[in-house]
Amino acid sequence: MDLSLSPADLAFRDQVRAFIAANLPADIADTFHQAGRHSFDQMMRWHRILYQKGWVAPHWPVEHGGAGWSVMQQHIFDSEAMAAGAPRLRPFALRMIGPILIHFGNDWQRERFLPPMLSGAEYWCQGFSEPGAGSDLASLSTRAEHDGDDYIVTGQKTWTTTGQHADWMFALVRTDPQADRPQKGISMLLIDMKSPGVTVRPIVTIDGDHHVNDVFLDGVRVPASHLVGQENKGWDYAKFLLAHERVTVANVGQAKAEIGLLKRLAQARGRLDDPVFATSLIDLETDMSALEVTNLRMLSQLGPGGDAGALSSFLKLRGTEIQQRISELAMDLMGPEAAPWQGGNGDARLGPERYGTHGWLFSRAFTVFGGSSEIQKNIVAKQILGL
Ligand SMILES: Cc1cc2nc3c(=O)[nH]c(=O)nc-3n(C[C@H](O)[C@H](O)[C@H](O)COP(=O)(O)OP(=O)(O)OC[C@H]3O[C@@H](n4cnc5c(N)ncnc54)[C@H](O)[C@@H]3O)c2cc1C
């Protein structure tokens, strides 16, 4: 595959660079360059800036507010934005439920929900996993029962990322417990997080932060108009969505930018002369380049509305392994400065957040969320290798 940029792509890259240079707030870029983690507010500020420019959902069709960019243009934008230190926009609305509503929703749902997703006026979370249903998602037990024109939803969702900020949740619920296969009795509902009966309880993860939540649904009334597509077809929509989720979790643009940052930090500390460190870094860069090519190949296959298939599992597997190796090498580079907390009774953080113990601890989750590595290997074995 030819990865060199055409004159049109080069002109597009220059346009993107100029826009980012003029519009990415300095404090947001600094957070990345100091190897920090962007806050939720910084991410939403960047979301709104991109929205004003019409670039917040470049992969959506133009008629629904997208930018109509080619695969190569999306790749260029992603690489340039990440290298400049921009935050990664959260995928839940833009990459998950937005495309689902475009493909499987009805006109009313598209008119009601897509504009505030684009502007950032409404924020979404994903309600799939439950305490007894993670890898085996089809065993989920949250029930939705008919009551007049509504559903009454009762159950528990867990690991709900940024659920504490969410206005809406797209959730998988069981609508037919008698179906002959568990996958057949599942529907997708759009749930207003402000509805009576919704309780969000924080889960503090191993890095000491609040990224995820339990969400309790206790007799929550959901209008039937908030059913996505057809009743009991939710599993089909979920499969479409999960293949897209794996591509975003692979996070190629950001990993590339982080390796660049790691290299600059290593140079500043004289570690590029250390042959062991330098070899690890080169190995990482080489694997990253291979992943980048695979990513582009896959995005080209995808096309508008295409199906990523099992290749998305491969990309998720490799992408998250690379992200973990970045965190490990960063820990090696930072040495004692990677320690998470100041000694004594202070609670001030030491050293860089993403490249310290905090980042390393949270990176353990990369090979779990979006489907664990073992599950991705099962998919690759069955669907690519035919085992
Ligand atoms: C930080 C974080 C954020 C998340 N955000 C969200 C979110 O926003 N929304 C949401 O719905 N979910 C979210 N999740 C949940 C995530 O999708 C699940 O954790 C994941 O699918 C694994 O499910 P589980 O935790 O129940 O583990 P289990 O399914 O219980 O798996 C436990 C272990 O067994 C292995 N295993 C299970 N089945 C098999 C098998 N068939 N073959 C081989 N090995 C197997 C797994 O690989 C894993 O190592 C998040 C998780 C984390 C950690």
Side-chain angles (χ1 to χ4, degrees):
M1 157 169 222
D2 182 9
L3 285 181
S4 53
L5 298 183
S6 68
D9 288 335
L10 286 170
F12 176 78
R13 188 195 62 188
D14 291 346
Q15 189 196 348
V16 166
R17 268 191 195 165
F19 173 78
I20 292 172
N23 291 282
L24 179 63
D27 67 297
I28 296 184
D30 286 349
T31 299
F32 173 76
H33 291 115
Q34 289 157 16
R37 281 194 229 166
H38 291 115
S39 67
F40 183 82
D41 288 346
Q42 286 179 320
M43 185 276 297
M44 287 309 293
R45 264 163 67 205
W46 181 233
H47 179 121
R48 286 188 284 271
I49 291 167
L50 290 178
Y51 169 68
Q52 293 300 330
K53 177 75 177 162
W55 286 0
V56 80
H59 52 295
W60 286 19
V62 175
E63 65 267 31
H64 294 299
W69 286 352
S70 70
V71 163
M72 186 53 99
Q73 285 176 318
Q74 291 177 43
H75 178 70
I76 291 170
F77 176 78
D78 200 38
S79 301
E80 292 293 324
M82 294 298 114
R88 234 179 115 236
L89 300 187
R90 295 298 175 138
F92 305 111
L94 302 174
R95 302 251 165 207
M96 296 184 178
I97 190 63
I100 292 278
L101 292 184
I102 289 171
H103 283 91
F104 305 108
N106 57 39
D107 285 343
W108 175 79
Q109 289 171 342
R110 284 189 279 270
E111 277 164 34
R112 163 62 187 85
F113 292 112
L114 298 186
M117 280 182 202
L118 290 169
S119 69
E122 287 180 346
Y123 183 78
W124 286 75
C125 66
Q126 177 188 22
F128 281 16
S129 304
E130 298 183 0
S135 303
D136 183 16
L137 189 57
S139 68
L140 63 88
S141 60
T142 293
R143 288 287 311 275
E145 287 168 341
H146 285 282
D147 183 39
D149 284 341
D150 299 332
Y151 290 98
I152 304 294
V153 181
T154 302
Q156 182 189 344
K157 296 293 172 182
T158 192
W159 300 116
T160 316
T161 301
T162 50
Q164 71 270 35
H165 300 292
D167 303 290
W168 290 88
M169 168 192 271
F170 54 96
L172 290 180
V173 295
R174 188 159 299 286
T175 34
D176 181 5
Q178 314 303 334
D180 54 4
R181 287 177 59 233
Q183 288 86 346
K184 283 192 182 167
I186 291 173
S187 300
M188 190 180 285
L189 289 182
L190 310 176
I191 300 180
D192 184 342
M193 294 291 279
K194 289 181 264 326
S195 311
V198 176
T199 307
V200 179
R201 191 178 69 187
I203 300 174
V204 175
T205 41
I206 192 172
D207 58 343
D209 271 336
H210 174 198
H211 308 273
V212 291
N213 302 272
D214 280 315
V215 178
F216 299 92
L217 303 161
D218 186 10
V220 177
R221 191 166 280 279
V222 179
S225 58
H226 293 188
L227 169 75
V228 177
Q230 293 175 37
E231 195 174 80
N232 298 324
K233 293 275 185 209
W235 190 251
D236 295 341
Y237 315 140
K239 278 197 300 189
F240 174 93
L241 182 150
L242 288 171
H244 284 73
E245 176 180 12
R246 288 180 205 128
V247 181
T248 60
V249 170
N251 212 352
V252 171
Q254 190 170 0
K256 220 171 86 175
E258 286 190 346
I259 291 176
L261 178 57
L262 192 58
K263 215 168 161 180
R264 288 196 293 281
L265 288 173
Q267 192 160 23
R269 288 162 179 259
R271 286 294 295 279
L272 290 181
D273 299 331
D274 167 351
V276 176
F277 185 87
T279 306
S280 303
L281 191 58
I282 289 165
D283 279 350
L284 193 57
E285 273 193 299
T286 311
D287 288 346
M288 186 66 236
S289 300
L291 184 72
E292 191 180 5
V293 175
T294 311
N295 182 50
L296 275 172
R297 183 155 52 92
M298 210 207 66
L299 288 175
S300 327
Q301 269 177 21
L302 251 185
D307 181 4
L311 200 50
S312 68
S313 292
F314 173 78
L315 206 53
K316 200 268 167 181
L317 189 61
R318 292 296 282 163
T320 51
E321 281 170 5
I322 285 177
Q323 288 169 56
Q324 286 184 339
R325 279 165 60 196
I326 295 173
S327 303
E328 278 155 24
L329 207 53
M331 286 278 276
D332 178 356
L333 178 67
M334 302 316 296
E337 281 179 53
W341 309 106
Q342 223 161 33
N345 59 3
D347 63 357
R349 292 187 172 194
L350 274 180
E353 221 180 327
R354 168 69 182 96
Y355 284 176
T357 310
H358 291 285
W360 181 81
L361 286 170
F362 190 68
S363 77
R364 301 297 91 198
F366 298 165
T367 45
V368 176
F369 57 60
S372 72
S373 287
E374 290 77 11
I375 296 301
Q376 307 313 321
K377 284 178 186 167
N378 285 348
I379 295 172
V380 169
K382 277 190 201 142
Q383 295 183 27
I384 298 184
L385 303 174
L387 300 174

